[in-house]
Amino acid sequence: MTLVMLSGGQDSVCLLDVLLARGDDVEALHVNYGLRPEADADEACCRALCDRLAVTLHVHHAGEPPAVGNLQAWARDVRYAAALTLTDGDIATGHTATDQVETVLYRLAASPGRRALLGMHDRDGPIIRPLLHMTREDTAAHCRTRDLPWREDASNLDSRFARNRARAGLVPALRELHPAAEQNLLTTLEILRDEATVLDSLVHDFIAGRSTIPASELAHLLPAMRRLVFIELAGAPVGHRVDEVVELALKGGRSELHIGSGVRAYVRRGAIEVLRDDGEPRPSELGLGPPRAGFPVGPAA
């Protein structure tokens, strides 16, 4: 069974219909966060749609949000936690090619490294994104053709959220620069993913399952390769600290260095090991492929 995350917006409505049309066994989950006056009307729309399509609908009421913290991150955690109580199969979200463009632009501005340029994947663990080949205009056209109602979420226009500012400002600016800007970005993303596969293979072959690497081996690598190996060892975006750690290790002796992102580097007899601050090994976290734990970071569908 595939569980569809159904917000009531055009993308998730389209997703539900597309999966039904291709014969998938689906159920739907709607999370009512109670944050907007329209929340109950969104729920009612989802109920009516699922009744019409003969789809089992699960509704989860989120409760009170935290007084402080990232509201969007809280909402994401709530909906995926609810989904995981309902299925051990696939969880389908309505992320589109338009979301992909916005995500890449947001990550480019918010964090360094190639992860920003790899975007969202078709699959992240149990999370699948069947609509990444469709734009937001495509999903709206599909719903109109199929006479499927959807709800507009006014919070998608709220400029307090950084991703909404990317949607309202950066994407239109790109279109003004070149009418094919979005497609060019998506094509570049696919090329970079293919090239990242090669890089990741080289990194994995070099590490060969080792958790401790002699600093002398790292010192002889090209800078980019040295940085990628260190990121893989750390399972965190700390590649900018690699030369500092290698230099320390080449001096000999024993030492440790906090390098950020909850990890520390241990130096013993000229070799380097990177562990979490609690002493446990870090999970692998190269830019390519699904995360080993936790939930994917992406826009709401």
Side-chain angles (χ1 to χ4, degrees), residues 96 99-101 103-104 107 114-124 129 132-133 185-201 287-290:
T96 66
D99 292 313
Q100 184 76 285
V101 169
T103 296
V104 169
R107 287 179 178 174
R114 64 189 177 118
R115 176 178 176 272
L117 294 171
L118 298 179
M120 297 180 289
H121 295 265
D122 294 330
R123 175 181 288 277
D124 282 322
R129 302 182 177 95
L132 283 181
H133 65 289
L185 188 153
L186 292 170
T187 301
T188 299
L189 184 153
E190 292 302 320
I191 293 171
L192 290 175
R193 280 186 179 170
D194 287 343
E195 295 173 354
T197 301
V198 177
L199 287 172
D200 289 349
S201 177
L288 187 69

Side-chain angles (χ1 to χ4, degrees), residues 2-278:
T2 297
L3 185 68
V4 174
M5 305 296 278
L6 184 65
S7 68
Q10 67 188 54
D11 298 336
S12 63
V13 169
C14 174
L15 171 66
L16 181 62
D17 192 56
V18 165
L19 294 186
L20 285 172
R22 76 182 192 186
D24 288 19
D25 176 23
V26 301
E27 295 183 6
L29 168 65
H30 174 76
V31 178
N32 186 334
Y33 301 102
L35 299 176
R36 299 180 295 110
E38 305 86 1
D40 289 341
D42 294 344
E43 178 183 328
C45 180
C46 291
R47 289 187 183 278
L49 175 68
C50 288
D51 285 345
R52 170 181 162 182
L53 299 177
V55 171
T56 298
L57 175 67
H58 306 270
V59 175
H60 176 76
H61 289 262
E64 290 295 321
V68 295
N70 187 316
L71 186 63
Q72 290 183 322
W74 167 79
R76 182 177 61 247
D77 290 345
V78 166
R79 62 178 173 268
Y80 283 121
L84 289 172
T85 66
L86 295 171
T87 182
D88 55 4
D90 289 341
I91 300 170
T93 71
H95 296 124
T96 66
T98 308
D99 292 313
Q100 184 76 285
V101 169
E102 295 167 0
T103 296
V104 169
L105 292 174
Y106 172 76
R107 287 179 178 174
L108 275 173
S111 60
R114 64 189 177 118
R115 176 178 176 272
L117 294 171
L118 298 179
M120 297 180 289
H121 295 265
D122 294 330
R123 175 181 288 277
D124 282 322
I127 311 299
I128 61 172
R129 302 182 177 95
L131 301 186
L132 283 181
H133 65 289
M134 298 178 69
T135 66
R136 199 167 290 144
E137 290 78 9
D138 293 334
T139 62
H142 177 96
C143 291
R144 292 190 189 99
T145 299
R146 295 277 293 147
D147 192 28
L148 299 171
W150 75 80
R151 300 281 297 173
E152 296 287 355
D153 185 349
S155 67
N156 288 332
L157 303 176
D158 191 337
S159 61
R160 290 178 300 170
F161 300 115
R163 198 178 299 276
N164 290 349
R165 295 197 295 274
R167 176 180 301 152
L170 293 179
V171 174
L174 283 178
R175 289 173 179 167
E176 288 184 9
L177 287 173
H178 195 286
E182 291 166 271
Q183 185 54 55
N184 289 338
L185 188 153
L186 292 170
T187 301
T188 299
L189 184 153
E190 292 302 320
I191 293 171
L192 290 175
R193 280 186 179 170
D194 287 343
E195 295 173 354
T197 301
V198 177
L199 287 172
D200 289 349
S201 177
L202 291 172
V203 170
H204 287 137
D205 287 347
F206 176 84
I207 294 176
R210 295 179 292 175
S211 60
T212 302
I213 306 291
S216 57
E217 289 189 30
L218 288 173
H220 284 92
L221 295 176
L222 291 172
M225 183 68 172
R226 183 163 59 244
R227 183 172 60 250
L228 290 174
V229 168
F230 195 67
I231 290 171
E232 173 70 353
L233 288 174
V238 292
H240 61 291
R241 303 294 300 273
V242 62
D243 289 340
E244 179 184 359
V245 175
V246 168
E247 182 179 355
L248 182 65
L250 291 175
K251 293 178 179 178
R254 298 169 60 93
S255 57
E256 66 178 74
L257 181 68
H258 291 271
I259 55 177
S261 298
V263 297
R264 66 179 72 185
Y266 290 88
V267 173
R268 301 180 183 89
R269 302 185 186 91
I272 298 169
E273 183 179 18
V274 186
L275 299 175
R276 293 195 316 231
D277 279 341
D278 61 9

